[in-house]
Amino acid sequence: MAKVAAKKASAKAPSAKSGRRQINFFFVVDCSGSMTGDKMASLNYAIRSAIPAMQAAAADNPENDVLVRVISFADQARWMIEAPVPVADFTWADLKAKGESAMGQSLEMLAKILNPKKLTGAQNPPVIVLVSDGLPTDDVDAGLVALEASDYGKAAVRVAIAIGSDADMPTLQNFMGNSGVKPLQANNAETLVNRIKWAASVPLKAASMTVSDGAQEMAKSAAGEEKDGGELVW
């Protein structure tokens, strides 16, 4: 299970009265059985490796408080980190792979907190990074509908990373919406590390921009990122 090693005082979410804006960042991670072995090991390593880049990106936006949460999905979706954690205190403990792929349930779970009652205070668009290697085994369309219908879901900065050649690219593209950015594909461990580092940093910058400027920044940066896919090994 993902853990958070944080000082009690700093682990609290900023007060709604602080006057600062928040960027709520969500990792939504596929832990189904098809991720067993090198894929899961590489994903765990990639997210650990991306944390410094994520923290650096947050430091470049000092007017915003970046808060991190994690959902994993296999037979069921589960909150691995449910309480918002300041990015400076975010750490990663390895996840294990088994079971089916309840992606739809994970999106419905996420949608339930993307509202002003759950995300209090001044908000920039949330950032959602979805990582998956295969086909959902539940009603992913219902999850996408719930996400779109939530207060902050439609405006969220969404990034999808497809692990290997078997990932459901149409579903991942539907998750991203009409952002002008395609899902990024990772076909080996090295490329996955680069994709996760990109997803953990560039969208934070886009979330603090205007909608049009943020979309342009994402599209330009993603176009450069997707050129390097590496050799297919998964």
Side-chain angles (χ1 to χ4, degrees):
M1 178 180 287
K3 300 178 181 176
V4 177
K7 297 179 180 178
K8 290 184 179 180
S10 61
K12 295 179 180 179
S15 168
K17 298 180 181 179
S18 66
R20 295 168 58 79
R21 300 185 71 84
Q22 295 179 4
I23 300 177
N24 282 273
F25 187 106
F26 300 89
F27 276 117
V28 183
V29 181
D30 187 344
C31 293
S32 61
S34 60
M35 289 285 292
T36 301
D38 289 344
K39 289 181 182 180
M40 198 75 248
S42 298
L43 174 61
N44 285 320
Y45 174 75
I47 294 181
R48 287 197 305 271
S49 300
I51 291 175
M54 190 177 186
Q55 293 169 335
D60 288 339
N61 291 273
E63 68 279 7
N64 298 306
D65 294 312
V66 178
L67 305 174
V68 186
R69 294 176 176 85
V70 180
I71 295 175
S72 69
F73 59 93
D75 288 330
Q76 294 183 333
R78 300 172 58 195
W79 281 107
M80 309 308 295
I81 299 178
E82 184 172 7
V85 177
V87 67
D89 298 323
F90 175 52
T91 61
W92 186 262
D94 288 354
L95 299 175
K96 296 181 179 180
K98 63 178 181 178
E100 299 294 323
S101 181
M103 183 188 293
Q105 185 186 19
S106 72
L107 298 181
E108 290 188 64
M109 183 180 293
L110 179 58
K112 289 179 180 179
I113 69 165
L114 293 179
N115 61 73
K117 290 184 178 180
K118 298 293 186 178
L119 305 183
T120 59
Q123 300 290 322
N124 280 318
V127 176
I128 308 169
V129 177
L130 172 62
V131 187
S132 178
D133 81 324
L135 295 168
T137 55
D138 66 350
D139 190 353
V140 70
D141 290 336
L144 289 169
V145 168
L147 185 64
E148 284 284 325
S150 63
D151 292 276
Y152 297 138
K154 193 173 184 65
V157 178
R158 305 183 207 171
V159 176
I161 299 175
I163 300 180
S165 60
D166 295 333
D168 184 353
M169 297 299 282
T171 292
L172 295 180
Q173 186 65 68
N174 287 340
F175 162 77
M176 294 186 67
N178 297 317
S179 63
V181 181
K182 297 179 180 179
L184 294 175
Q185 192 154 19
N187 296 324
N188 56 49
E190 181 181 0
T191 304
L192 180 60
V193 170
N194 292 336
R195 298 294 194 241
I196 294 287
K197 285 183 177 180
W198 183 91
S201 55
V202 173
L204 288 177
K205 181 178 180 181
S208 62
M209 296 178 173
T210 64
V211 173
S212 59
D213 288 348
Q216 290 179 12
E217 175 70 19
M218 284 276 291
K220 179 180 178 181
S221 181
E225 177 66 20
E226 69 179 347
K227 290 180 181 178
D228 180 19
E231 295 296 322
L232 181 63
V233 297
W234 284 330

PDB file of all heavy atoms in Angstrom, residues 8-24 62-69 83-87 89 118-123:
ATOM      1  N   LYS A   8       3.316  15.646  10.973  1.00  0.00           N
ATOM      2  CA  LYS A   8       1.905  15.888  11.213  1.00  0.00           C
ATOM      3  C   LYS A   8       1.521  17.319  10.908  1.00  0.00           C
ATOM      4  O   LYS A   8       0.469  17.596  10.357  1.00  0.00           O
ATOM      5  CB  LYS A   8       1.557  15.538  12.662  1.00  0.00           C
ATOM      6  CG  LYS A   8       1.592  14.042  12.948  1.00  0.00           C
ATOM      7  CD  LYS A   8       1.149  13.762  14.368  1.00  0.00           C
ATOM      8  CE  LYS A   8       1.157  12.259  14.648  1.00  0.00           C
ATOM      9  NZ  LYS A   8       0.723  11.975  16.034  1.00  0.00           N
ATOM     10  N   ALA A   9       2.354  18.233  11.255  1.00  0.00           N
ATOM     11  CA  ALA A   9       2.000  19.637  11.068  1.00  0.00           C
ATOM     12  C   ALA A   9       1.902  19.993   9.607  1.00  0.00           C
ATOM     13  O   ALA A   9       1.048  20.772   9.191  1.00  0.00           O
ATOM     14  CB  ALA A   9       3.037  20.537  11.751  1.00  0.00           C
ATOM     15  N   SER A  10       2.803  19.414   8.780  1.00  0.00           N
ATOM     16  CA  SER A  10       2.823  19.792   7.365  1.00  0.00           C
ATOM     17  C   SER A  10       1.887  18.945   6.535  1.00  0.00           C
ATOM     18  O   SER A  10       1.599  19.278   5.393  1.00  0.00           O
ATOM     19  CB  SER A  10       4.251  19.672   6.816  1.00  0.00           C
ATOM     20  OG  SER A  10       4.697  18.350   6.931  1.00  0.00           O
ATOM     21  N   ALA A  11       1.413  17.841   7.077  1.00  0.00           N
ATOM     22  CA  ALA A  11       0.575  16.940   6.292  1.00  0.00           C
ATOM     23  C   ALA A  11      -0.855  17.427   6.168  1.00  0.00           C
ATOM     24  O   ALA A  11      -1.625  16.898   5.400  1.00  0.00           O
ATOM     25  CB  ALA A  11       0.575  15.553   6.920  1.00  0.00           C
ATOM     26  N   LYS A  12      -1.236  18.430   6.909  1.00  0.00           N
ATOM     27  CA  LYS A  12      -2.588  18.945   6.826  1.00  0.00           C
ATOM     28  C   LYS A  12      -2.771  19.774   5.566  1.00  0.00           C
ATOM     29  O   LYS A  12      -1.881  20.488   5.134  1.00  0.00           O
ATOM     30  CB  LYS A  12      -2.894  19.818   8.044  1.00  0.00           C
ATOM     31  CG  LYS A  12      -2.908  19.039   9.363  1.00  0.00           C
ATOM     32  CD  LYS A  12      -3.204  19.967  10.526  1.00  0.00           C
ATOM     33  CE  LYS A  12      -3.225  19.211  11.844  1.00  0.00           C
ATOM     34  NZ  LYS A  12      -3.483  20.117  12.989  1.00  0.00           N
ATOM     35  N   ALA A  13      -3.931  19.684   4.978  1.00  0.00           N
ATOM     36  CA  ALA A  13      -4.224  20.499   3.806  1.00  0.00           C
ATOM     37  C   ALA A  13      -4.296  21.961   4.214  1.00  0.00           C
ATOM     38  O   ALA A  13      -4.705  22.292   5.322  1.00  0.00           O
ATOM     39  CB  ALA A  13      -5.559  20.076   3.205  1.00  0.00           C
ATOM     40  N   PRO A  14      -3.874  22.886   3.325  1.00  0.00           N
ATOM     41  CA  PRO A  14      -3.945  24.290   3.654  1.00  0.00           C
ATOM     42  C   PRO A  14      -5.358  24.718   3.981  1.00  0.00           C
ATOM     43  O   PRO A  14      -6.325  24.226   3.426  1.00  0.00           O
ATOM     44  CB  PRO A  14      -3.443  24.974   2.363  1.00  0.00           C
ATOM     45  CG  PRO A  14      -2.646  23.925   1.669  1.00  0.00           C
ATOM     46  CD  PRO A  14      -3.296  22.624   2.010  1.00  0.00           C
ATOM     47  N   SER A  15      -5.482  25.650   4.872  1.00  0.00           N
ATOM     48  CA  SER A  15      -6.790  26.154   5.258  1.00  0.00           C
ATOM     49  C   SER A  15      -7.440  26.895   4.114  1.00  0.00           C
ATOM     50  O   SER A  15      -6.784  27.552   3.315  1.00  0.00           O
ATOM     51  CB  SER A  15      -6.644  27.090   6.468  1.00  0.00           C
ATOM     52  OG  SER A  15      -7.843  27.795   6.693  1.00  0.00           O
ATOM     53  N   ALA A  16      -8.750  26.783   4.029  1.00  0.00           N
ATOM     54  CA  ALA A  16      -9.499  27.512   3.002  1.00  0.00           C
ATOM     55  C   ALA A  16      -9.388  29.013   3.203  1.00  0.00           C
ATOM     56  O   ALA A  16      -9.654  29.791   2.303  1.00  0.00           O
ATOM     57  CB  ALA A  16     -10.956  27.089   3.037  1.00  0.00           C
ATOM     58  N   LYS A  17      -8.976  29.430   4.395  1.00  0.00           N
ATOM     59  CA  LYS A  17      -8.855  30.848   4.689  1.00  0.00           C
ATOM     60  C   LYS A  17      -7.473  31.404   4.353  1.00  0.00           C
ATOM     61  O   LYS A  17      -7.206  32.573   4.566  1.00  0.00           O
ATOM     62  CB  LYS A  17      -9.148  31.083   6.169  1.00  0.00           C
ATOM     63  CG  LYS A  17     -10.568  30.700   6.596  1.00  0.00           C
ATOM     64  CD  LYS A  17     -10.778  30.965   8.075  1.00  0.00           C
ATOM     65  CE  LYS A  17     -12.191  30.571   8.510  1.00  0.00           C
ATOM     66  NZ  LYS A  17     -12.401  30.811   9.963  1.00  0.00           N
ATOM     67  N   SER A  18      -6.578  30.556   3.877  1.00  0.00           N
ATOM     68  CA  SER A  18      -5.205  30.989   3.641  1.00  0.00           C
ATOM     69  C   SER A  18      -5.091  31.954   2.476  1.00  0.00           C
ATOM     70  O   SER A  18      -4.106  32.673   2.360  1.00  0.00           O
ATOM     71  CB  SER A  18      -4.311  29.773   3.377  1.00  0.00           C
ATOM     72  OG  SER A  18      -4.678  29.141   2.161  1.00  0.00           O
ATOM     73  N   GLY A  19      -6.083  31.969   1.574  1.00  0.00           N
ATOM     74  CA  GLY A  19      -6.033  32.866   0.429  1.00  0.00           C
ATOM     75  C   GLY A  19      -5.232  32.310  -0.729  1.00  0.00           C
ATOM     76  O   GLY A  19      -5.187  32.908  -1.796  1.00  0.00           O
ATOM     77  N   ARG A  20      -4.597  31.160  -0.548  1.00  0.00           N
ATOM     78  CA  ARG A  20      -3.826  30.539  -1.610  1.00  0.00           C
ATOM     79  C   ARG A  20      -4.720  29.614  -2.433  1.00  0.00           C
ATOM     80  O   ARG A  20      -5.762  29.184  -1.979  1.00  0.00           O
ATOM     81  CB  ARG A  20      -2.658  29.748  -1.013  1.00  0.00           C
ATOM     82  CG  ARG A  20      -1.652  30.625  -0.302  1.00  0.00           C
ATOM     83  CD  ARG A  20      -0.684  29.806   0.513  1.00  0.00           C
ATOM     84  NE  ARG A  20       0.032  28.834  -0.290  1.00  0.00           N
ATOM     85  CZ  ARG A  20       1.079  29.113  -1.080  1.00  0.00           C
ATOM     86  NH1 ARG A  20       1.516  30.368  -1.155  1.00  0.00           N
ATOM     87  NH2 ARG A  20       1.678  28.172  -1.777  1.00  0.00           N
ATOM     88  N   ARG A  21      -4.275  29.321  -3.635  1.00  0.00           N
ATOM     89  CA  ARG A  21      -5.031  28.416  -4.492  1.00  0.00           C
ATOM     90  C   ARG A  21      -4.423  27.027  -4.415  1.00  0.00           C
ATOM     91  O   ARG A  21      -3.224  26.859  -4.181  1.00  0.00           O
ATOM     92  CB  ARG A  21      -5.036  28.912  -5.938  1.00  0.00           C
ATOM     93  CG  ARG A  21      -5.662  30.284  -6.100  1.00  0.00           C
ATOM     94  CD  ARG A  21      -5.744  30.679  -7.572  1.00  0.00           C
ATOM     95  NE  ARG A  21      -6.747  29.901  -8.278  1.00  0.00           N
ATOM     96  CZ  ARG A  21      -8.041  30.187  -8.295  1.00  0.00           C
ATOM     97  NH1 ARG A  21      -8.504  31.248  -7.650  1.00  0.00           N
ATOM     98  NH2 ARG A  21      -8.891  29.434  -8.981  1.00  0.00           N
ATOM     99  N   GLN A  22      -5.257  26.034  -4.618  1.00  0.00           N
ATOM    100  CA  GLN A  22      -4.817  24.647  -4.577  1.00  0.00           C
ATOM    101  C   GLN A  22      -4.812  24.041  -5.978  1.00  0.00           C
ATOM    102  O   GLN A  22      -5.637  24.377  -6.819  1.00  0.00           O
ATOM    103  CB  GLN A  22      -5.751  23.812  -3.694  1.00  0.00           C
ATOM    104  CG  GLN A  22      -5.750  24.182  -2.236  1.00  0.00           C
ATOM    105  CD  GLN A  22      -6.713  23.316  -1.451  1.00  0.00           C
ATOM    106  OE1 GLN A  22      -7.327  22.393  -1.989  1.00  0.00           O
ATOM    107  NE2 GLN A  22      -6.854  23.605  -0.163  1.00  0.00           N
ATOM    108  N   ILE A  23      -3.865  23.119  -6.188  1.00  0.00           N
ATOM    109  CA  ILE A  23      -3.906  22.206  -7.323  1.00  0.00           C
ATOM    110  C   ILE A  23      -3.946  20.806  -6.733  1.00  0.00           C
ATOM    111  O   ILE A  23      -2.986  20.349  -6.119  1.00  0.00           O
ATOM    112  CB  ILE A  23      -2.694  22.350  -8.253  1.00  0.00           C
ATOM    113  CG1 ILE A  23      -2.611  23.756  -8.826  1.00  0.00           C
ATOM    114  CG2 ILE A  23      -2.781  21.318  -9.388  1.00  0.00           C
ATOM    115  CD1 ILE A  23      -1.382  23.991  -9.704  1.00  0.00           C
ATOM    116  N   ASN A  24      -5.069  20.133  -6.876  1.00  0.00           N
ATOM    117  CA  ASN A  24      -5.203  18.771  -6.387  1.00  0.00           C
ATOM    118  C   ASN A  24      -4.769  17.806  -7.485  1.00  0.00           C
ATOM    119  O   ASN A  24      -5.314  17.816  -8.586  1.00  0.00           O
ATOM    120  CB  ASN A  24      -6.647  18.506  -5.956  1.00  0.00           C
ATOM    121  CG  ASN A  24      -6.948  19.110  -4.599  1.00  0.00           C
ATOM    122  OD1 ASN A  24      -6.714  18.476  -3.574  1.00  0.00           O
ATOM    123  ND2 ASN A  24      -7.452  20.343  -4.586  1.00  0.00           N
ATOM    124  N   PRO A  62       4.937  28.873  -6.642  1.00  0.00           N
ATOM    125  CA  PRO A  62       4.835  29.053  -5.192  1.00  0.00           C
ATOM    126  C   PRO A  62       3.516  29.642  -4.727  1.00  0.00           C
ATOM    127  O   PRO A  62       3.207  29.578  -3.528  1.00  0.00           O
ATOM    128  CB  PRO A  62       6.007  29.994  -4.874  1.00  0.00           C
ATOM    129  CG  PRO A  62       6.242  30.742  -6.147  1.00  0.00           C
ATOM    130  CD  PRO A  62       5.955  29.754  -7.241  1.00  0.00           C
ATOM    131  N   GLU A  63       2.733  30.185  -5.641  1.00  0.00           N
ATOM    132  CA  GLU A  63       1.445  30.766  -5.252  1.00  0.00           C
ATOM    133  C   GLU A  63       0.364  29.688  -5.087  1.00  0.00           C
ATOM    134  O   GLU A  63      -0.747  29.985  -4.645  1.00  0.00           O
ATOM    135  CB  GLU A  63       0.984  31.803  -6.276  1.00  0.00           C
ATOM    136  CG  GLU A  63       0.601  31.262  -7.646  1.00  0.00           C
ATOM    137  CD  GLU A  63       1.791  30.995  -8.558  1.00  0.00           C
ATOM    138  OE1 GLU A  63       2.950  31.105  -8.095  1.00  0.00           O
ATOM    139  OE2 GLU A  63       1.558  30.679  -9.732  1.00  0.00           O
ATOM    140  N   ASN A  64       0.694  28.441  -5.443  1.00  0.00           N
ATOM    141  CA  ASN A  64      -0.261  27.343  -5.357  1.00  0.00           C
ATOM    142  C   ASN A  64       0.195  26.281  -4.361  1.00  0.00           C
ATOM    143  O   ASN A  64       1.397  26.053  -4.194  1.00  0.00           O
ATOM    144  CB  ASN A  64      -0.431  26.667  -6.731  1.00  0.00           C
ATOM    145  CG  ASN A  64      -0.985  27.608  -7.773  1.00  0.00           C
ATOM    146  OD1 ASN A  64      -2.034  28.212  -7.568  1.00  0.00           O
ATOM    147  ND2 ASN A  64      -0.297  27.741  -8.892  1.00  0.00           N
ATOM    148  N   ASP A  65      -0.766  25.654  -3.693  1.00  0.00           N
ATOM    149  CA  ASP A  65      -0.489  24.505  -2.834  1.00  0.00           C
ATOM    150  C   ASP A  65      -0.848  23.240  -3.607  1.00  0.00           C
ATOM    151  O   ASP A  65      -2.019  23.041  -3.962  1.00  0.00           O
ATOM    152  CB  ASP A  65      -1.314  24.584  -1.549  1.00  0.00           C
ATOM    153  CG  ASP A  65      -0.903  25.748  -0.676  1.00  0.00           C
ATOM    154  OD1 ASP A  65       0.312  25.927  -0.441  1.00  0.00           O
ATOM    155  OD2 ASP A  65      -1.791  26.495  -0.225  1.00  0.00           O
ATOM    156  N   VAL A  66       0.125  22.397  -3.877  1.00  0.00           N
ATOM    157  CA  VAL A  66      -0.098  21.158  -4.614  1.00  0.00           C
ATOM    158  C   VAL A  66      -0.334  20.024  -3.623  1.00  0.00           C
ATOM    159  O   VAL A  66       0.510  19.757  -2.757  1.00  0.00           O
ATOM    160  CB  VAL A  66       1.092  20.823  -5.531  1.00  0.00           C
ATOM    161  CG1 VAL A  66       0.850  19.497  -6.252  1.00  0.00           C
ATOM    162  CG2 VAL A  66       1.314  21.947  -6.543  1.00  0.00           C
ATOM    163  N   LEU A  67      -1.478  19.370  -3.756  1.00  0.00           N
ATOM    164  CA  LEU A  67      -1.882  18.293  -2.858  1.00  0.00           C
ATOM    165  C   LEU A  67      -2.064  17.014  -3.667  1.00  0.00           C
ATOM    166  O   LEU A  67      -2.655  17.040  -4.747  1.00  0.00           O
ATOM    167  CB  LEU A  67      -3.183  18.649  -2.149  1.00  0.00           C
ATOM    168  CG  LEU A  67      -3.177  19.984  -1.387  1.00  0.00           C
ATOM    169  CD1 LEU A  67      -4.567  20.303  -0.857  1.00  0.00           C
ATOM    170  CD2 LEU A  67      -2.170  19.932  -0.250  1.00  0.00           C
ATOM    171  N   VAL A  68      -1.583  15.897  -3.140  1.00  0.00           N
ATOM    172  CA  VAL A  68      -1.531  14.643  -3.895  1.00  0.00           C
ATOM    173  C   VAL A  68      -2.408  13.580  -3.252  1.00  0.00           C
ATOM    174  O   VAL A  68      -2.456  13.449  -2.026  1.00  0.00           O
ATOM    175  CB  VAL A  68      -0.080  14.117  -3.985  1.00  0.00           C
ATOM    176  CG1 VAL A  68      -0.014  12.892  -4.893  1.00  0.00           C
ATOM    177  CG2 VAL A  68       0.858  15.212  -4.484  1.00  0.00           C
ATOM    178  N   ARG A  69      -3.100  12.811  -4.099  1.00  0.00           N
ATOM    179  CA  ARG A  69      -3.852  11.634  -3.681  1.00  0.00           C
ATOM    180  C   ARG A  69      -3.593  10.514  -4.683  1.00  0.00           C
ATOM    181  O   ARG A  69      -3.197  10.786  -5.830  1.00  0.00           O
ATOM    182  CB  ARG A  69      -5.361  11.913  -3.632  1.00  0.00           C
ATOM    183  CG  ARG A  69      -5.821  12.926  -2.583  1.00  0.00           C
ATOM    184  CD  ARG A  69      -7.312  13.146  -2.762  1.00  0.00           C
ATOM    185  NE  ARG A  69      -7.913  14.006  -1.778  1.00  0.00           N
ATOM    186  CZ  ARG A  69      -7.953  15.340  -1.847  1.00  0.00           C
ATOM    187  NH1 ARG A  69      -7.365  15.955  -2.856  1.00  0.00           N
ATOM    188  NH2 ARG A  69      -8.554  16.050  -0.903  1.00  0.00           N
ATOM    189  N   ALA A  83      -6.467  11.112   2.051  1.00  0.00           N
ATOM    190  CA  ALA A  83      -6.326  12.462   2.600  1.00  0.00           C
ATOM    191  C   ALA A  83      -5.291  13.221   1.779  1.00  0.00           C
ATOM    192  O   ALA A  83      -4.247  12.665   1.415  1.00  0.00           O
ATOM    193  CB  ALA A  83      -5.890  12.400   4.061  1.00  0.00           C
ATOM    194  N   PRO A  84      -5.549  14.477   1.444  1.00  0.00           N
ATOM    195  CA  PRO A  84      -4.612  15.231   0.603  1.00  0.00           C
ATOM    196  C   PRO A  84      -3.268  15.434   1.296  1.00  0.00           C
ATOM    197  O   PRO A  84      -3.209  15.846   2.446  1.00  0.00           O
ATOM    198  CB  PRO A  84      -5.328  16.568   0.379  1.00  0.00           C
ATOM    199  CG  PRO A  84      -6.264  16.694   1.540  1.00  0.00           C
ATOM    200  CD  PRO A  84      -6.692  15.301   1.875  1.00  0.00           C
ATOM    201  N   VAL A  85      -2.205  15.151   0.562  1.00  0.00           N
ATOM    202  CA  VAL A  85      -0.848  15.249   1.094  1.00  0.00           C
ATOM    203  C   VAL A  85      -0.086  16.346   0.352  1.00  0.00           C
ATOM    204  O   VAL A  85      -0.016  16.324  -0.877  1.00  0.00           O
ATOM    205  CB  VAL A  85      -0.110  13.906   0.911  1.00  0.00           C
ATOM    206  CG1 VAL A  85       1.332  14.021   1.392  1.00  0.00           C
ATOM    207  CG2 VAL A  85      -0.837  12.809   1.647  1.00  0.00           C
ATOM    208  N   PRO A  86       0.500  17.311   1.047  1.00  0.00           N
ATOM    209  CA  PRO A  86       1.337  18.296   0.368  1.00  0.00           C
ATOM    210  C   PRO A  86       2.440  17.609  -0.422  1.00  0.00           C
ATOM    211  O   PRO A  86       3.043  16.637   0.052  1.00  0.00           O
ATOM    212  CB  PRO A  86       1.914  19.122   1.529  1.00  0.00           C
ATOM    213  CG  PRO A  86       0.907  18.982   2.628  1.00  0.00           C
ATOM    214  CD  PRO A  86       0.393  17.565   2.498  1.00  0.00           C
ATOM    215  N   VAL A  87       2.706  18.099  -1.608  1.00  0.00           N
ATOM    216  CA  VAL A  87       3.649  17.426  -2.492  1.00  0.00           C
ATOM    217  C   VAL A  87       5.033  17.311  -1.855  1.00  0.00           C
ATOM    218  O   VAL A  87       5.763  16.341  -2.108  1.00  0.00           O
ATOM    219  CB  VAL A  87       3.719  18.145  -3.857  1.00  0.00           C
ATOM    220  CG1 VAL A  87       4.336  19.523  -3.729  1.00  0.00           C
ATOM    221  CG2 VAL A  87       4.469  17.298  -4.876  1.00  0.00           C
ATOM    222  N   ASP A  89       5.696  16.425   1.005  1.00  0.00           N
ATOM    223  CA  ASP A  89       5.689  15.285   1.919  1.00  0.00           C
ATOM    224  C   ASP A  89       5.283  13.982   1.232  1.00  0.00           C
ATOM    225  O   ASP A  89       5.155  12.950   1.896  1.00  0.00           O
ATOM    226  CB  ASP A  89       4.711  15.551   3.069  1.00  0.00           C
ATOM    227  CG  ASP A  89       5.107  16.748   3.905  1.00  0.00           C
ATOM    228  OD1 ASP A  89       6.318  16.944   4.121  1.00  0.00           O
ATOM    229  OD2 ASP A  89       4.213  17.494   4.340  1.00  0.00           O
ATOM    230  N   LYS A 118     -15.874  18.885  -1.108  1.00  0.00           N
ATOM    231  CA  LYS A 118     -14.719  18.041  -0.807  1.00  0.00           C
ATOM    232  C   LYS A 118     -13.393  18.768  -1.030  1.00  0.00           C
ATOM    233  O   LYS A 118     -12.429  18.557  -0.295  1.00  0.00           O
ATOM    234  CB  LYS A 118     -14.760  16.769  -1.656  1.00  0.00           C
ATOM    235  CG  LYS A 118     -15.971  15.886  -1.419  1.00  0.00           C
ATOM    236  CD  LYS A 118     -15.944  15.275  -0.030  1.00  0.00           C
ATOM    237  CE  LYS A 118     -17.089  14.283   0.142  1.00  0.00           C
ATOM    238  NZ  LYS A 118     -17.069  13.632   1.472  1.00  0.00           N
ATOM    239  N   LEU A 119     -13.339  19.584  -2.071  1.00  0.00           N
ATOM    240  CA  LEU A 119     -12.139  20.373  -2.355  1.00  0.00           C
ATOM    241  C   LEU A 119     -12.451  21.811  -1.985  1.00  0.00           C
ATOM    242  O   LEU A 119     -12.951  22.589  -2.799  1.00  0.00           O
ATOM    243  CB  LEU A 119     -11.742  20.262  -3.828  1.00  0.00           C
ATOM    244  CG  LEU A 119     -11.535  18.855  -4.378  1.00  0.00           C
ATOM    245  CD1 LEU A 119     -11.080  18.913  -5.829  1.00  0.00           C
ATOM    246  CD2 LEU A 119     -10.543  18.073  -3.534  1.00  0.00           C
ATOM    247  N   THR A 120     -12.177  22.160  -0.745  1.00  0.00           N
ATOM    248  CA  THR A 120     -12.547  23.480  -0.246  1.00  0.00           C
ATOM    249  C   THR A 120     -11.458  24.498  -0.543  1.00  0.00           C
ATOM    250  O   THR A 120     -10.291  24.148  -0.744  1.00  0.00           O
ATOM    251  CB  THR A 120     -12.800  23.422   1.266  1.00  0.00           C
ATOM    252  OG1 THR A 120     -11.619  22.965   1.924  1.00  0.00           O
ATOM    253  CG2 THR A 120     -13.954  22.475   1.584  1.00  0.00           C
ATOM    254  N   GLY A 121     -11.849  25.751  -0.573  1.00  0.00           N
ATOM    255  CA  GLY A 121     -10.902  26.817  -0.846  1.00  0.00           C
ATOM    256  C   GLY A 121     -10.799  27.119  -2.323  1.00  0.00           C
ATOM    257  O   GLY A 121     -11.461  26.507  -3.164  1.00  0.00           O
ATOM    258  N   ALA A 122      -9.948  28.069  -2.651  1.00  0.00           N
ATOM    259  CA  ALA A 122      -9.758  28.476  -4.042  1.00  0.00           C
ATOM    260  C   ALA A 122      -9.037  27.375  -4.805  1.00  0.00           C
ATOM    261  O   ALA A 122      -8.024  26.839  -4.342  1.00  0.00           O
ATOM    262  CB  ALA A 122      -8.957  29.769  -4.100  1.00  0.00           C
ATOM    263  N   GLN A 123      -9.557  27.028  -5.971  1.00  0.00           N
ATOM    264  CA  GLN A 123      -9.043  25.889  -6.731  1.00  0.00           C
ATOM    265  C   GLN A 123      -8.590  26.283  -8.130  1.00  0.00           C
ATOM    266  O   GLN A 123      -9.279  27.012  -8.837  1.00  0.00           O
ATOM    267  CB  GLN A 123     -10.127  24.815  -6.868  1.00  0.00           C
ATOM    268  CG  GLN A 123     -10.643  24.237  -5.574  1.00  0.00           C
ATOM    269  CD  GLN A 123      -9.623  23.363  -4.883  1.00  0.00           C
ATOM    270  OE1 GLN A 123      -8.878  22.618  -5.517  1.00  0.00           O
ATOM    271  NE2 GLN A 123      -9.585  23.462  -3.554  1.00  0.00           N
TER     272      GLN A 123
END
